[in-house]
Amino acid sequence: MGLNETPAANRIHIAFLGKRNAGKSSILNAISNQNLAIVSDTKGTTTDPVYKAMELLPLGPVMLIDTPGIDDEGALGELRIKKTQQVLNKTDIAVLVMDGREGKSAEDETLIQLFQRKEIPYLLVYNKCDLFDYKNPEEYSISVSAKTGEQINALKEIIAKRITTEDPKLRLVGDILKPCDYAMLVVPIDKAAPKGRLILPQQQTIRDILEASAVSIVVKETEFAETIKNIGLKPKIVITDSQVFHKIHAETPEDIFLTSFSILMARYKGVLKTAVNGAKTLDMLKDGDKILISEGCTHHRQCDDIGTVKLPQWIKNYTKKDFEFQFTSGTEFPENLSSYQLVIHCGGCMLNDREMKYRQKFTVESNIPFTNYGILIAYMQGILQRSISMFPEFLAK
Ligand SMILES: Nc1nc2c(ncn2[C@@H]2O[C@H](COP(=O)(O)OP(=O)(O)OP(=O)(O)O)[C@@H](O)[C@H]2O)c(=O)[nH]1
Ligand SMILES: [Mg+2]
């Protein structure tokens, strides 16, 4: 991935689904104006989801996902359908593609029900309108021809309209800052930090502080104590990387708010309250209980080390109990959680919002407590209460 490219997690994921031969791959090619996906009149041409990152005007950075036909047959077909459902866990907009001459089938109705159950905005595309008289019968539906390109631009526009914009109430930190407030950001530059840039949560926090007309002062942990002494005006808040949470906690006067980037991200993604409650259940677990530690990415050596080695050790030191740990990484996540007493997830920087929300929702609906690395670590270090006390929803009454 180039330095200036949008990470996959921040792209709007648009999946094309439907029966075999409906023209899913053809539509993806028409939209992207490239021959990315293989097209043929043989049913079942696409056998695995195909991902294509691109800029799609007027939307911006998107991830287009071509999928195998939902009506596939046999044992292999079943596997493909399972894959398609996994795709839906990260889909922001589902585009149901149909052969307009046939209209909506039972399989299509089943897919629509699935979209509704998963609360995924969707639209209906009646393809091959070069072969029938086109009409636009329902809301959020359109007739197009992938072959002639007719209505393909209109399709892009209704995809863009279908995107539910983020809840404007969700802010990283700007909502608790007034103009000209100081916010101090602590960013360690160690060998795990990417070369030449800041990571996304740090960039987004600085941006949000600017939008609140407040002031960011960014320092490494080694200059923090000196800076906070010399700064003159008292900062409203200190936001630190979790790795140096303990040190910064000790060096931040008690009357200054202190939190971490991962806590800000958790709040922004709507998982903070659940994760705080989840962390507190650690005290109630018994010897032999099963804990799932789930990592969203497969290639971060540093995350891997925290998840599989450090975290179990810290948990053991804190609880003095013996738990059974199980681990998953990347896109795999158990379909049945009933054997676990706690799920601990990474911050999810490599997963898109929808996938993270799905995992949280699924865990909570399975009646299993859910928390994440940063919040659990803060809890075990006795800093959690302090680091959420500034948010309206946690303010002591
Ligand atoms: N006339 C006409 N034919 C089309 C149109 N779109 C696709 N086709 C044809 O329909 C057939 C199936 O197209 P694909 O894009 O491979 O369909 P798919 O939905 O990806 O099919 P699977 O990968 O098998 O699930 C091909 O022969 C296409 O050339 C269209 O708008 N008009
Ligand atoms: Mg295909």
Side-chain angles (χ1 to χ4, degrees), residues 95-96 98 104 122-126 134-144 151 154-155 158-159 162:
V95 180
L96 176 59
M98 292 164 286
K104 227 183 275 164
Y122 63 92
L123 37 108
L124 310 177
V125 173
Y126 296 96
Y134 85 79
K135 49 195 181 313
N136 283 344
E138 300 125 298
E139 209 195 353
Y140 289 118
S141 77
I142 187 167
S143 299
V144 308
Q151 291 278 86
L155 171 59
I158 67 165
I159 291 176
R162 199 71 176 100

